[in-house]
Amino acid sequence: MGLTKQYLAYRAVDSFNIIASGRANVNFAIYNRIQGRYFAAAAAENVILWDLRLGERVLTLRRDKQEVTALRASPDRLHVAVGYVDGAVEIFDLSNPEESICFLALHKSAVSVLRYDDQGIRLITGSLDTDLVVVDTLEQAGRQRLIGHNAPITDAHFLERLAVYHIAVSSSKDTQIKFWNLETQFCFKTIVDNRTEVWALAFTGALMVAGCGESTMNVYRLTRKDSNDVKTNASANAIEGLSVDDDDTISPINIMNCGVIQRAGKGRCVNLIADPSERVLSCHGTNDLIENFYFCTKDEAKQRLAKRLKKARKAKQIKEPEEEEQEDDNNDKNLSLSDEIKRLNSIKTRQKIKSLDILLGGQNELRILVSLANNSVQLYSMKTTSKDEDAKMLRSLNWQGHQSEVRSVCFSSDGLAIGSGSAESFKFWNRDSMQCLRSVSTDYILSCVFTPGDRYVLLGLKSGKLLIVDVGAADIVEEIPAHDQELWSIILLPDQKGCATGSSDCTVKLWTFELIDANIKETDVDRVTPMANSRQVKVLSLLHKNTLKLEESVLCVQISPNMKYLAVGLLDSTVKVFFLDTFKFYLSLYGHKLPILCLDISYDSTLIATGSADRNVKIWGLDFGDCHRSLFAHDDSVMALQFIAKTHMFFTCGKDGKIKQWDADTFDKIITLPGHIGEAYGLAISSNGRYLITCGSDRTLRLFERTDEPIVLQDIQEEEREEMENEKLATGEDHGMALLPGLKLPSKKTVGSEKAAESILECLDVCKQYELEGEITPTLHPLMKALDVKTTTDFLLITFARIRSSDLEEALLLLPFPMVCELLTRLPSLIEKRSDEIELISKVTMFLFKIHMKPISGARHMKSLLQQIINLLTSEVNALRDCIGFNLHSLGLLQTEVEKREDIELFYEALQDKKKREKKRRQRETLKRQLIHMA
């Protein structure tokens, strides 16, 4: 059957206007081996790497549909782990950002925290589902799931500073701080002395700082517990009354509450960030104040204590010399928290702070990266050794985006420029580069449109005023008090000689364009007109022509292309159509249950489409006012609607964030485009119908382009149905196993794992059928031909290898026990023939044994098979280990022989670079110590 009507697909080009989302954090990153210049910030569903010096985005890490909720750069700053609202985690390589390194489905809800260990090998993730998952980034799979908190996770760290590598620390909104043993997956200690939610944790040396819902931050000192002095420490801590430990011997560390740090800001602590060297701690609350603290070394703390005691002696002036000597000897014991922590200058921002990151560079320069609630990022610099010097703002990124939600967009007549209006400004964008060209400060904008010639833009404000803006000068030419209330709609007349405006003051006004003389200073003449000697130039103005008064507020206006009808959408849920020349009433379109928010008329003036807050779109005939069809378009209010030029197809967007294309002739939904995260407020289509621009509450402007790819509606509908079924198939509510209730898998069941299980079952069926054909030469199955394999052993192995490592455990868990037995019978031949893949085979075997150990060990006929598998695996793993050890020592021997024979040092350049870096680091530390002594 041939295509009866051909539609062309629209594809998403890119999104812009957003600098940093408020839901996720920002992080410094290394790009092109430069540190401190680039940072990664979440931008709705993407992550953008920004260049602070040029104010441009360098690259974009993309994923569809799901919003970014957390991100973390690796310790080497070369990789970025990104957590999403659906509980997934992706790791990207900044040198190759097109595709992620690995994808991990870990949680049931949004990821709230990501943290690497010191080597960047392990990653701990926390979520709103109260679980913690430890991920092996090399194996690209989860290792442990930690369950114990009763509220969303707020922060998590690996505790490696005490040479204990199997401990993690986490905090939650349940007011608890838990210490986990990763080997046993159990919590061995819980701190419960916080009265409010614990929102952040930070480590500086042996101190742990916890930010709570109060204006104070608790400070704990962590020390490693030795087996010899357990009783001694317990008795000493009990005497002091400061220990949060009980008399247990399970905990390998001692935890003591040292005191509190009083914050200057009010409200809860939102973020606690320590620099990589753990010398400076920055925090902020729900306000606009950043507080910085410097943690002194032991020598610096002793100096501060000596100064404090000296001041105390001068104040008393009755101290005996013997008492002074005793105090000097007891300085180590008298060190207090105020001696170890020095308060630095605070930073006051103009907007509410969302997140921050800090970096301590050379010469004690502290750089503070701050993302604000108004879609901007600022970089501050300050000296940690100077008390009087305030922080300086080095960079500010606010030009590339609106500071509030964009409510209206429009295209120029040639489609090369885009205009967007928000609560504080109007911006002009280049469509190809998506860069901001000009910005004009205004009041709250509700509607906008380019005038003929694209030299001016008309802006409708919330106050009812109508602004005329010069595009070239980026200046307001005239401010017209057009209406008394909100100006919701501005449209151009089809003859391009004027415009019409509709407002909440129940009026529709018609205006005509005219050029008037404007007095301009001589310094401004050159930028407006090439006639430098002229003092007067022609500027655009509007002449009020006629007014149509109505009984209800006007929400949208449209004029038919044949200049015959004026259609007005009203607050009373009706559309009234008038004759344009006489304003005589023609039709009234009834049917919507809620106010009409948008409408448009087709190019041939035969159809009118209306969108309402009742979530429906109705298509009417303009000749008789009959309703052709009512379409349930969106799950929330329909906010914008526009026909494509020279067609009966139109686009709609709604508060559900979706963007849909419809056919007004067949009443079919053509396609649903990837929409906004949140509400979609407006859309605009270029005059040739090739480009589509939309705006929404996620502060993104999304650009779509029409392609030459045809669309078949049946295929699109089938894909949508399959996607809905896949969402139902993803059963990730339970991480446990039926026979092992105490074992919680670190992964989550997804559609990928179910498809992987189906591929394993299909592979076993194909292998069984292939072997049953007997001695006759069997024909290869189409799947085996597609994978270019000729034996069942290779087919089974390549099936396992094609499964994503994060889905492998869940796929094996879905296999029924008879298929598991059949798979185990094939393992001996697989081990013997493909010993080069012994690592993958061992992983599969060990997991199957772990989840099916009871029924396997209970079957008598499986004992010989088990013994055979154990012997084969033991020999092959030992052989692999011996091979690796032999190769390692052989390479070392060859390196020594080559160096002796040729009198050179292998990898000399790499070693020299490493030595230079270490030398620079030592110089910086020496310089820091000198400056500290001088201070």
Side-chain angles (χ1 to χ4, degrees):
M1 179 178 178
L3 296 177
T4 57
K5 192 168 185 178
Q6 183 174 353
Y7 303 103
L8 297 180
Y10 281 78
R11 67 171 181 87
V13 178
D14 205 350
S15 61
F16 54 100
N17 179 67
I18 186 169
I19 298 175
S21 298
R23 188 167 182 178
N25 57 311
V26 293
N27 248 180
F28 279 109
I30 295 179
Y31 188 70
N32 292 333
R33 298 183 180 180
I34 300 176
Q35 188 175 10
R37 177 176 171 178
Y38 302 95
F39 73 94
E45 73 277 10
N46 300 326
V47 175
I48 299 177
L49 188 69
W50 288 94
D51 187 343
L52 282 167
R53 182 175 299 177
L54 301 179
E56 299 176 352
R57 57 178 178 178
V58 181
L59 53 88
T60 305
L61 311 177
R62 305 181 187 277
R63 189 184 177 217
D64 294 335
K65 298 181 181 179
Q66 304 299 334
E67 184 182 8
V68 177
T69 56
L71 61 92
R72 184 69 56 186
S74 59
D76 56 5
R77 308 280 180 173
L78 300 178
H79 297 84
V80 176
V82 185
Y84 296 92
V85 71
D86 61 345
V89 175
E90 286 197 61
I91 300 177
F92 293 88
D93 187 355
L94 295 182
S95 61
N96 185 20
E98 278 72 20
E99 294 184 0
S100 61
I101 298 176
C102 67
F103 175 86
L104 304 164
L106 303 176
H107 298 281
K108 294 180 288 187
S109 56
V111 177
S112 58
V113 61
L114 295 167
R115 194 81 62 178
Y116 278 96
D117 64 354
D118 293 341
Q119 289 78 28
I121 298 176
R122 294 180 298 172
L123 176 70
I124 187 168
T125 68
S127 171
L128 301 184
D129 62 2
T130 73
D131 290 350
L132 291 156
V133 176
V134 180
V135 177
D136 189 336
T137 58
L138 296 181
E139 193 178 351
Q140 299 183 5
R143 302 315 310 152
Q144 295 94 11
R145 181 175 294 274
L146 310 176
I147 301 175
H149 283 290
N150 300 319
I153 307 297
T154 56
D155 207 349
H157 292 262
F158 287 102
L159 193 62
E160 298 176 302
R161 58 202 67 252
L162 302 177
V164 183
Y165 298 97
H166 59 278
I167 294 179
V169 188
S170 63
S171 62
S172 171
K173 287 186 181 180
D174 60 5
T175 73
Q176 297 177 356
I177 302 174
K178 288 183 177 291
F179 291 79
W180 305 85
N181 188 325
L182 300 181
E183 294 179 349
T184 61
Q185 302 185 31
F186 284 100
C187 172
F188 63 84
K189 186 175 292 297
T190 303
I191 299 177
V192 294
D193 59 349
N194 295 287
R195 295 178 297 176
T196 56
E197 297 94 343
V198 182
W199 289 94
L201 293 175
F203 288 86
T204 57
L207 297 179
M208 179 179 71
V209 183
C212 309
E214 302 172 342
S215 60
T216 57
M217 299 184 295
N218 292 329
V219 182
Y220 304 90
R221 190 180 300 277
L222 308 180
T223 56
R224 188 171 182 179
K225 184 183 294 184
D226 296 329
S227 57
N228 296 329
D229 55 356
V230 171
K231 297 182 180 180
T232 306
N233 290 337
S235 59
N237 295 338
I239 294 173
E240 293 179 6
L242 297 175
S243 175
V244 297
D245 296 337
D246 47 7
D247 295 333
D248 63 346
T249 57
I250 301 176
S251 174
I253 56 175
N254 289 320
I255 306 171
M256 293 183 59
N257 192 337
C258 302
V260 297
I261 300 176
Q262 182 65 41
R263 293 172 44 239
K266 297 180 180 179
R268 68 175 179 88
C269 177
V270 176
N271 275 323
L272 275 175
I273 305 295
D275 73 293
S277 62
E278 297 185 354
R279 306 302 306 157
V280 180
L281 177 70
S282 295
C283 68
H284 74 88
T286 55
N287 54 0
D288 55 356
L289 185 66
I290 303 174
E291 300 178 62
N292 304 300
F293 302 91
Y294 180 79
F295 285 75
C296 303
T297 61
K298 191 172 183 180
D299 295 335
E300 293 171 355
K302 288 182 181 179
Q303 292 178 5
R304 289 171 60 85
L305 175 61
K307 290 180 180 179
R308 182 167 59 85
L309 295 178
K310 188 176 181 180
K311 289 181 181 179
R313 286 195 296 267
K314 286 184 179 179
K316 293 182 179 180
Q317 294 181 354
I318 55 174
K319 189 72 67 178
E320 296 295 333
E322 295 180 357
E323 296 179 1
E324 294 180 10
E325 293 179 0
Q326 291 177 1
E327 285 188 358
D328 293 337
D329 295 336
N330 296 331
N331 271 358
D332 293 343
K333 299 179 181 180
N334 295 332
L335 282 176
S336 65
L337 203 60
S338 60
D339 298 324
E340 297 185 48
I341 303 176
K342 179 175 65 173
R343 186 182 293 270
L344 302 177
N345 293 335
S346 300
I347 300 174
K348 186 83 170 177
T349 61
R350 296 183 179 179
Q351 294 289 334
K352 184 179 178 181
I353 302 169
K354 285 298 183 180
S355 66
L356 60 88
D357 195 14
I358 61 176
L359 193 64
L360 186 61
Q363 299 180 356
N364 291 325
E365 181 190 8
L366 178 66
R367 291 200 171 187
I368 304 172
L369 181 69
V370 187
S371 68
L372 303 177
N374 63 346
N375 191 31
S376 64
V377 175
Q378 296 176 349
L379 179 66
Y380 292 89
S381 175
M382 63 182 299
K383 296 287 186 180
T384 58
T385 55
S386 176
K387 296 181 180 180
D388 301 329
E389 184 180 357
D390 293 333
K392 299 178 181 179
M393 184 190 295
L394 298 181
R395 300 283 189 275
S396 179
L397 287 183
N398 52 17
W399 175 262
Q400 295 294 339
H402 286 278
Q403 297 184 5
S404 58
E405 296 176 348
V406 180
R407 297 307 302 261
S408 179
V409 290
C410 59
F411 266 108
S412 61
S413 60
D414 56 4
L416 296 178
I418 298 171
S420 60
S422 65
E424 87 292 337
S425 66
F426 184 83
K427 289 182 180 291
F428 300 94
W429 305 85
N430 185 314
R431 188 203 66 205
D432 294 331
S433 64
M434 286 170 284
Q435 296 292 324
C436 180
L437 303 177
R438 289 172 179 83
S439 182
V440 182
S441 297
T442 62
D443 292 334
Y444 203 111
I445 299 173
L446 294 178
S447 55
C448 60
V449 65
F450 277 90
T451 60
D454 300 331
R455 183 175 175 180
Y456 297 94
V457 175
L458 303 180
L459 305 179
L461 303 185
K462 193 175 184 179
S463 61
K465 295 180 181 179
L466 180 61
L467 301 184
I468 303 176
V469 177
D470 189 338
V471 175
D475 192 12
I476 299 175
V477 175
E478 188 177 1
E479 183 178 302
I480 302 172
H483 296 273
D484 298 330
Q485 297 181 22
E486 295 90 346
L487 203 163
W488 289 107
S489 179
I490 303 177
I491 60 166
L492 294 178
L493 297 179
D495 60 2
Q496 307 290 304
K497 294 181 180 180
C499 66
T501 59
S503 170
S504 295
D505 60 2
C506 306
T507 60
V508 176
K509 293 185 179 181
L510 296 182
W511 310 78
T512 58
F513 295 133
E514 65 174 0
L515 294 175
I516 62 173
D517 296 331
N519 294 324
I520 299 180
K521 298 179 182 179
E522 292 183 1
T523 56
D524 296 336
V525 172
D526 293 338
R527 65 173 182 167
V528 177
T529 177
M531 299 174 61
N533 297 326
S534 175
R535 290 178 176 271
Q536 292 185 347
V537 296
K538 297 289 185 178
V539 296
L540 183 71
S541 182
L542 294 178
L543 178 63
H544 181 215
K545 183 180 178 182
N546 207 347
T547 301
L548 172 64
K549 293 185 179 180
L550 298 151
E551 296 180 356
E552 291 289 339
S553 297
V554 177
L555 299 180
C556 50
V557 178
Q558 191 57 255
I559 297 175
S560 62
N562 59 5
M563 294 286 289
K564 189 176 181 181
Y565 303 113
L566 170 67
V568 182
L570 301 177
L571 191 63
D572 62 356
S573 308
T574 64
V575 177
K576 295 189 181 300
V577 184
F578 301 88
F579 289 102
L580 181 62
D581 51 356
T582 62
F583 284 164
K584 184 180 178 181
F585 177 76
Y586 174 57
L587 289 173
S588 182
L589 308 179
Y590 294 92
H592 285 290
K593 299 178 181 179
L594 291 175
I596 311 296
L597 300 180
C598 54
L599 61 88
D600 197 12
I601 300 176
S602 63
Y603 75 101
D604 54 3
S605 302
T606 59
L607 297 177
I608 177 172
T610 58
S612 169
D614 62 4
R615 304 177 291 179
N616 291 322
V617 170
K618 292 183 182 293
I619 302 171
W620 316 75
L622 202 54
D623 294 336
F624 304 101
D626 56 324
C627 181
H628 292 181
R629 186 63 64 92
S630 180
L631 306 171
F632 184 77
H634 292 272
D635 296 331
D636 208 333
S637 301
V638 183
M639 298 297 294
L641 181 151
Q642 186 175 348
F643 275 98
I644 303 175
K646 306 299 181 182
T647 67
H648 280 182
M649 294 181 290
F650 61 92
F651 279 97
T652 61
C653 68
K655 281 190 174 181
D656 58 356
K658 296 179 180 178
I659 303 153
K660 298 182 179 181
Q661 185 183 4
W662 306 84
D663 191 335
D665 293 331
T666 61
F667 316 116
D668 291 326
K669 184 188 71 174
I670 301 173
I671 194 172
T672 301
L673 298 176
H676 292 266
I677 298 173
E679 302 173 352
Y681 291 138
L683 62 84
I685 304 174
S686 61
S687 58
N688 57 5
R690 185 177 177 183
Y691 294 96
L692 168 70
I693 186 73
T694 63
C695 61
S697 62
D698 56 2
R699 296 190 177 178
T700 60
L701 294 175
R702 298 178 184 267
L703 181 64
F704 301 88
E705 182 183 7
R706 187 175 62 201
T707 63
D708 296 331
E709 177 187 355
I711 291 178
V712 181
L713 294 184
Q714 290 80 1
D715 295 345
I716 297 296
Q717 294 170 2
E718 183 64 29
E719 289 177 2
E720 292 180 355
R721 282 195 298 267
E722 185 178 353
E723 185 177 354
M724 294 177 62
E725 292 175 357
N726 288 343
E727 291 178 359
K728 297 178 181 179
L729 284 174
T731 54
E733 295 298 324
D734 187 16
H735 302 287
M737 288 177 283
L739 299 177
L740 298 173
L743 181 61
K744 299 293 183 180
L745 290 179
S747 55
K748 185 181 74 170
K749 296 176 184 176
T750 60
V751 177
S753 61
E754 295 190 357
K755 289 182 178 179
E758 292 176 359
S759 66
I760 296 174
L761 293 175
E762 186 177 11
C763 174
L764 293 175
D765 291 339
V766 170
C767 293
K768 189 175 182 181
Q769 180 181 359
Y770 183 84
E771 293 171 352
L772 283 176
E773 293 188 8
E775 299 178 356
I776 305 173
T777 304
T779 57
L780 289 177
H781 193 272
L783 280 177
M784 299 177 69
K785 291 181 179 179
L787 296 176
D788 194 19
V789 293
K790 297 182 179 180
T791 61
T792 56
T793 303
D794 293 338
F795 184 36
L796 182 60
L797 184 63
I798 200 171
T799 301
F800 282 122
R802 287 167 58 88
I803 299 175
R804 195 164 51 191
S805 57
S806 57
D807 293 334
L808 182 59
E809 290 186 352
E810 294 289 346
L812 294 174
L813 187 62
L814 294 173
L815 296 179
F817 184 70
M819 289 299 178
V820 172
C821 295
E822 184 178 348
L823 181 59
L824 290 176
T825 57
R826 296 182 179 274
L827 283 179
S829 62
L830 189 63
I831 297 172
E832 292 177 351
K833 296 179 181 179
R834 294 302 303 269
S835 59
D836 55 325
E837 296 288 345
I838 191 64
E839 184 178 356
L840 176 61
I841 299 172
S842 300
K843 183 191 296 185
V844 172
T845 307
M846 295 301 295
F847 184 78
L848 291 176
F849 280 169
K850 182 167 64 175
I851 61 177
H852 297 290
M853 192 61 207
K854 289 184 179 180
I856 290 176
S857 58
R860 294 183 179 180
H861 65 280
M862 297 288 290
K863 290 185 178 180
S864 59
L865 178 63
L866 287 180
Q867 189 63 41
Q868 184 182 3
I869 293 175
I870 292 172
N871 294 335
L872 288 173
L873 278 181
T874 303
S875 61
E876 293 295 338
V877 171
N878 289 336
L880 179 62
R881 181 196 59 191
D882 296 340
C883 179
I884 292 174
F886 179 79
N887 292 338
L888 180 63
H889 289 83
S890 300
L891 290 174
L893 181 61
L894 290 176
Q895 178 183 355
T896 305
E897 292 181 354
V898 170
E899 289 177 352
K900 287 182 178 180
R901 183 175 66 251
E902 300 186 6
D903 196 16
I904 61 172
E905 185 177 356
L906 293 181
F907 312 109
Y908 177 76
E909 295 180 356
L911 293 174
Q912 288 299 113
D913 292 341
K914 183 178 179 181
K915 291 179 181 179
K916 288 180 181 179
R917 289 195 298 269
E918 292 179 353
K919 184 178 180 181
K920 289 181 180 179
R921 180 178 58 81
R922 289 194 297 268
Q923 289 177 352
R924 286 197 299 268
E925 292 178 353
T926 306
L927 182 60
K928 288 179 185 178
R929 287 194 291 268
Q930 291 176 356
L931 291 175
I932 290 170
H933 289 311
M934 290 173 62

